[in-house]
């Protein structure tokens, strides 16, 4: 579909549309469910002390994430262009300014930065497919699994290679366009991933340390909650839901007019949160059972799960399937991370989708070497938040996504007129009112509060007033 105007006088997308409501929900779920749930959530929760962090994270998902996601979809569907152009068009239409386009621009950049490291970790999962098949984890102890990880991650050539392969896979799918291939992958992948997480959960329950794992995740110890870990919880909520950078806005641009935005958002948020919690419940008992510590960092999942699989009947098979599924989950997310940049290049510079994807893919691939080297040659090079990887991660998750989300939800709540937003959300009375209140007050105030707290501004003001 290449016309600019749909029959009812509304714009239509230049990149085609989702074939059904289900296709959209699957695509957004595919972008949301990824390394964020299974790789990142457990180690971030571990580094931030568990319980209290998880609670704040859940609050952020529901109170802030949900309204932001709805705002992103409705803006996307109304604008029907890449996030930069969409924000420009709506900015003008709604009596604001075309400078709102900058919000989309920041999203394009955030997506590029995130994928630059995301692809490296996704490459780890590819390597772990091969390792699983080869049987190195069968009956392996914590030491063996740990050494396997160190050997691999410590060699920049190996990590660079898997990063390259993953980027090539991502470029391939994005170049083919929105509709083909992906839907099928997600339809099968998310349920299968759920099943495997349940298998791991059963194993964890029988590990003898389940209680300790549950206690770590759900007993809030607010002593451990620093301002930076509240920010990390907010950042993780944005990251895991794929919001704050226009990716969902770009997907929303391909959404048919009649689909319920509220229903779709709720389904995605529920699925995404369920998988993260399951991952935590599967992983923390194994951490305790094997003498590891929750704060072990980015290697956590790669150091716990292979051991569990190594001790199971049919472990080689299950482990292989698991890392295949995780790679798929990462793949369907990588596509979403590229979409804003690719859509922007296609529309702005009149390139074909394939050309745009290759250009953006090359750029991301190059940037990715900053992260590749962060785990070996440059692991001692530390500034600001730590290694290059730590800095890219911190900048994107903890600053760019919340800031993007703040501006997006502000735009939907305060700049867009009520008629436009209620038109998109299908003015369903109560739901619209609740969303509108959340978009105007709860979400922006919440995000601002966390951001300002983290930079110490609120403390500074409190000191002045005291
Ligand atoms: N949500 C993805 C995950 O949890 C990562 C991600 C962040 C993402 N922002 C995105 C994916 C935008 C697609 C689009 O793994």
């Amino acid at each position: 579909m290449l016309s600019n105007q749909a029959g009812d006088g509304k714009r239509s997308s230049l990149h085609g549309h989702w074939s059904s409501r289900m296709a959209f929900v699957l695509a957004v779920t595919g972008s949301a469910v990824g390394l964020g749930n299974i790789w990142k959530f457990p180690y971030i929760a571990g580094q931030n002390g568990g319980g209290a962090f998880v609670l704040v994270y859940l609050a952020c998902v529901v109170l802030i994430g949900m309204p932001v996601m709805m705002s992103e979809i409705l803006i996307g569907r109304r604008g029907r262009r890449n996030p930069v152009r969409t924000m420009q068009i709506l900015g003008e239409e709604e009596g604001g300014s075309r400078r709102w386009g900058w919000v989309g621009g920041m999203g394009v950049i955030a997506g590029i930065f995130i994928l630059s490291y995301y692809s490296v970790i996704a490459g780890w999962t590819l390597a772990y497919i091969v390792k699983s098949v080869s049987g190195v984890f069968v009956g392996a102890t914590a030491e063996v699994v740990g050494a396997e990880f160190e050997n691999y991650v410590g060699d920049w050539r190996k990590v660079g290679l898997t990063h390259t392969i993953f980027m090539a896979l991502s470029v391939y799918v994005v170049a083919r366009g929105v509709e083909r291939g992906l839907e099928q992958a997600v339809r099968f992948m998310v349920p299968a991933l759920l099943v495997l997480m349940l298998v791991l959960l059963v194993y964890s329950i029988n590990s003898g340390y389940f209680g300790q794992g549950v206690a770590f995740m759900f007993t809030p110890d607010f002593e451990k909650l620093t301002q930076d870990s509240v920010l990390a919880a907010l950042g993780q909520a944005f990251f895991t839901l794929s919001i704050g950078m226009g990716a969902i806005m770009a997907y929303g641009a391909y959404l048919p007019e009649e689909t319920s935005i509220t229903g779709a958002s709720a389904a995605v948020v529920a699925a995404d949160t369920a998988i993260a919690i399951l991952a935590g419940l599967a992983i923390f008992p194994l951490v305790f059972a094997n003498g590891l510590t929750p704060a072990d960092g980015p290697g956590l999942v790669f150091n716990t799960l292979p051991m569990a699989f190594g001790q199971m009947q049919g472990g080689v098979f299950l482990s292989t399937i698991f890392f295949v599924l995780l790679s798929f989950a990462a793949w369907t997310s990588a596509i979403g991370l590229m979409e804003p940049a690719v859509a922007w290049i296609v529309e702005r510079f009149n390139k074909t989708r394939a050309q745009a994807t290759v250009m953006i893919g090359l750029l991301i691939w190059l940037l990715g070497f900053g992260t590749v080297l962060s785990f070996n040659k440059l692991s001692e090079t530390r500034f600001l938040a730590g290694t290059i990887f730590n800095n890219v991660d911190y900048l994107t998750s903890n600053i760019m996504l919340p800031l993007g989300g703040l501006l997006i939800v502000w735009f939907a709540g305060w700049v867009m007129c009520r008629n436009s937003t209620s038109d998109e959300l299908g003015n369903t009375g109560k739901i619209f009112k609740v969303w509108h209140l959340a978009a105007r007050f709860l979400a922006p105030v919440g995000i601002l509060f966390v951001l300002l707290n983290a930079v110490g501004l609120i403390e500074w003001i409190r000191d002045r007033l005291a």
Side-chain angles (χ1 to χ4, degrees), residues 414-462:
W414 293 98
V415 179
M416 288 179 78
C417 68
R418 219 190 161 88
N419 285 340
S420 317
T421 46
S422 70
D423 180 29
E424 290 301 327
L425 289 179
N427 196 358
T428 36
K430 254 213 195 90
I431 293 182
F432 177 77
K433 281 209 191 86
V434 172
W435 170 79
H436 208 221
L437 282 176
R440 296 190 129 195
F441 303 103
L442 188 63
V445 170
I447 299 171
L448 253 183
F449 184 76
V450 176
L451 281 174
L452 293 181
N453 235 329
V455 296
L457 198 63
I458 290 176
E459 207 171 345
W460 187 81
I461 294 172
R462 208 189 297 128

Side-chain angles (χ1 to χ4, degrees), residues 31-37 114 118 239-243 245 247 333 336-337:
S31 92
V33 175
L35 298 174
N37 307 58
I114 294 176
Y118 201 86
F239 183 87
T240 191
L241 295 175
S242 303
I243 52 179
M245 51 156 282
S333 298
L337 285 163

